[in-house]
Amino acid sequence: LSPLTERDISKYRSINTAELVQTVKDILSRYSISQRHFGERILGLSQGSVSDILARPKPWDLLTQKGREPFIRMRAFLDDGSALKQLVQSVS
């Protein structure tokens, strides 16, 4: 898991966290990927933290920089054409 760069952070100035979370949940469900696996491989978070974020995403404007990081990672994951394929392969 690589640290977020300034470029990553500045690229995503505002994210609709509720919409993003719904998209991620749909993908995890469609490809039978566990929150634990997604959290470890993509977000660098425990399953409990991932579950909390996916269940109750806070609005972007209310998040600290640290709080925004998982959402930036999710957005970057969705924007990376090969990331999903790699994640699916790492599950099987």
Side-chain angles (χ1 to χ4, degrees), residues 9-74:
I9 292 166
S10 62
K11 183 177 174 186
Y12 303 108
R13 297 206 179 281
S14 178
I15 292 174
N16 179 333
T17 55
E19 194 176 278
L20 176 64
V21 159
Q22 191 54 57
T23 303
V24 167
K25 289 197 312 196
D26 291 346
I27 287 171
L28 297 183
S29 171
R30 184 177 320 135
Y31 293 95
S32 303
I33 299 167
S34 70
Q35 289 182 358
R36 181 185 65 79
H37 192 75
F38 180 73
E40 287 172 0
R41 296 296 299 255
I42 305 302
L43 304 180
L45 295 171
S46 69
Q47 195 268 325
S49 298
V50 175
S51 177
D52 196 46
I53 288 170
L54 293 182
R56 291 179 296 283
K58 290 190 176 89
W60 184 256
D61 297 339
L62 300 181
L63 293 166
T64 62
Q65 183 57 52
K66 187 98 179 103
R68 289 177 176 182
E69 285 184 11
F71 295 102
I72 293 172
R73 288 186 188 281
M74 281 187 242

